[in-house]
Amino acid sequence: MNTIYESLHGDFASSIHRKFIKAVDEYRLFKAGDRVAVCISGGKDSMLMGALFREYERHGRIPITVKYLVMNPGYSDENFTLIKDNAARLELPIASFDTEIFKNTERCANPCFLCAKMRRGHLYNKARELGCNKIALGHHFDDVIESILMGMIYGGQVQTMLPRVKSANFEGMELVRPLYYVRERDIKAWRDSNGLRFLNCACRVTTREDGSKRKLIKRLIARLREDNPQIEQNIFRSVCNVRLDRLMSYKINDEVHDFLENFGDEMNEQN
């Protein structure tokens, strides 16, 4: 067996492989006969996800078919070669296609949002062409926590990054996040333990030291962790233990509800 895969059943069995299986089972991410497009950007997260899917396709409890999908949004030749070399080392039979997303978004006022939206659309389209009904993205536990705080601090809303989502624009398609419970520090440890070198973000915006709100959130969480080592778990639990009767207002789909509804006729009598 490839030693990289041996590590997933050895040193990283509890911190990575079992957490992958836990998310798959707990959130019912797969059903028999699913055809899943595993979307590989070339970074550590998606490459690990590819390796985990390779193992699941061979030994998983639910029979699924996997396509390993690599989209080139405009990487340099050097970066794209690195992705292909790593895929070969992980024995992933990738299918790749080219787009001009970097070129089309570099002059936009909000390139990160537009880039993410365009990437998602291209991935859904290509996955459907390949006969897939699901796409898998490599968002991990830390991404979930950071997104909760970013929504609150920068978006003025409370919501979370769900482990599975039905596509609003591609009927019959679904997005799944099987690394939902895996910590970023454990992904880095797996990478370093196996002597792997993956692609870092090749975007000129997010590679600037102070150019990303997510970097600011990471630093905030790190500071909070100094006082409370359970900070990430508590943030996660906060969106699993929501008291709707203690919120000013909330939405279900596009319908708005607020706390005054709890008063009913009693409120009308007082008026």
Side-chain angles (χ1 to χ4, degrees), residues 27-244:
Y27 297 118
R28 301 192 296 274
L29 299 187
F30 309 144
K31 64 180 185 298
D34 274 346
R35 295 177 61 86
V36 185
V38 177
C39 302
I40 297 175
S41 66
K44 65 185 188 313
D45 310 326
S46 64
M47 282 293 185
L48 169 63
M49 181 176 65
L52 289 164
F53 264 96
R54 177 183 176 277
E55 284 296 279
Y56 194 89
E57 190 176 20
R58 292 182 172 184
H59 310 295
R61 181 175 58 86
I62 300 172
I64 62 173
T65 300
V66 179
K67 299 291 184 180
Y68 300 92
L69 186 57
V70 175
M71 180 186 66
N72 182 356
Y75 294 134
S76 67
D77 291 341
E78 179 183 2
N79 285 337
F80 197 53
T81 296
L82 177 62
I83 294 174
K84 291 186 288 186
D85 289 347
N86 280 323
R89 186 171 178 184
L90 294 173
E91 302 171 8
L92 304 179
I94 61 172
S96 63
F97 67 103
D98 297 329
T99 70
E100 294 187 341
I101 292 177
F102 283 174
K103 180 179 178 181
N104 293 333
T105 60
E106 63 183 357
R107 298 183 183 279
C108 297
N110 191 354
C112 295
F113 173 80
L114 182 58
C115 180
K117 185 176 181 180
M118 292 179 68
R119 280 171 179 259
R120 193 74 51 85
H122 280 292
L123 290 170
Y124 269 124
N125 266 322
K126 192 64 177 180
R128 189 157 60 181
E129 285 180 20
L130 295 174
C132 296
N133 64 307
K134 293 181 178 178
I135 66 172
L137 300 184
H139 296 120
H140 48 66
F141 184 84
D142 297 75
D143 290 324
V144 176
I145 301 309
E146 291 158 15
S147 294
I148 293 170
L149 288 187
M150 288 179 70
M152 294 174 64
I153 294 172
Y154 298 114
Q157 59 186 350
V158 177
Q159 63 179 19
T160 190
M161 181 184 285
L162 295 172
R164 56 183 294 193
V165 181
K166 290 184 177 181
S167 173
N169 300 313
F170 296 84
E171 187 176 356
M173 299 288 290
E174 187 175 313
L175 181 156
V176 296
R177 296 183 170 103
L179 298 187
Y180 207 72
Y181 287 132
V182 179
R183 296 302 305 268
E184 184 175 28
R185 63 173 179 253
D186 295 321
I187 299 175
K188 291 179 177 178
W190 171 79
R191 176 198 63 193
D192 297 343
S193 175
N194 286 286
L196 296 165
R197 183 178 72 88
F198 296 126
L199 180 68
N200 290 321
C201 181
C203 173
R204 64 174 179 81
V205 176
T206 56
T207 50
R208 291 203 304 260
E209 180 62 28
D210 298 316
S212 170
K213 290 183 174 64
R214 189 170 291 275
K215 285 189 174 70
L216 297 177
I217 292 295
K218 282 181 179 291
R219 290 198 288 267
L220 173 61
I221 293 173
R223 288 200 298 269
L224 293 172
R225 193 188 305 117
E226 293 175 2
D227 296 324
N228 181 5
Q230 298 300 313
I231 190 67
E232 290 97 342
Q233 290 293 337
N234 287 344
I235 293 171
F236 184 78
R237 292 190 189 103
S238 73
V239 294
C240 298
N241 297 304
V242 178
R243 289 286 305 271
L244 294 181

